[in-house]
Amino acid sequence: RVMARPEQARRVAVQSDIQAIKSALDMYKLDNHRYPTTDQGLQALVEKPGSEPEPPNWNGYLDRVPKDPWGNEYQYLNPGKHGEVDIMSLGADGRKGGAGNNADIGSWQLN
């Protein structure tokens, strides 16, 4: 039971990161009337995208895109499979799917 605490803390950190990223994406959409494309990715929250569609009212939304607690990039999909956009961590193994500590954690799983 005590051994599970670090993994539980990592999962809580992922949920917090995803909520912060989603808030930044919502601000981007409010300013620019759309979310960044999948190709523009989450980096569009840090640096103004130079690819189409260029955001007309870009303001900078994050200082940096965080990595998940296992050191992996968060995945971003627009349009999402579960919502308008999807943000997810691939878990401890950094691969899609998995169970336990390796399970994916997605924005659609958060309340």
Side-chain angles (χ1 to χ4, degrees):
R1 185 163 153 96
V2 174
M3 295 288 282
R5 288 204 167 196
E7 287 305 318
Q8 183 180 6
R10 286 183 184 99
R11 295 184 80 73
V12 169
V14 166
Q15 293 171 358
S16 177
D17 283 351
I18 287 175
Q19 288 171 337
I21 292 167
K22 180 68 168 93
S23 292
L25 284 165
D26 289 344
M27 289 302 297
Y28 182 104
K29 182 179 181 185
L30 191 65
D31 289 346
N32 300 290
H33 313 293
R34 65 175 55 222
Y35 290 113
T37 65
T38 299
D39 288 341
Q40 289 171 332
L42 296 175
Q43 195 60 31
L45 300 173
V46 178
E47 298 173 12
K48 183 176 181 179
S51 60
E52 292 295 327
E54 286 193 39
N57 300 307
W58 189 88
N59 285 309
Y61 303 90
L62 292 174
D63 292 333
R64 63 178 181 79
V65 178
K67 290 191 185 252
D68 75 12
W70 298 280
N72 300 311
E73 304 285 336
Y74 282 100
Q75 306 297 302
Y76 171 70
L77 194 58
N78 176 12
K81 293 181 180 172
H82 302 277
E84 197 170 353
V85 294
D86 291 347
I87 309 154
M88 68 186 243
S89 164
L90 298 177
D93 65 356
R95 292 184 294 207
K96 287 190 178 194
N101 296 334
N102 294 332
D104 302 344
I105 305 166
S107 50
W108 59 93
Q109 298 168 316
L110 309 178
N111 292 339

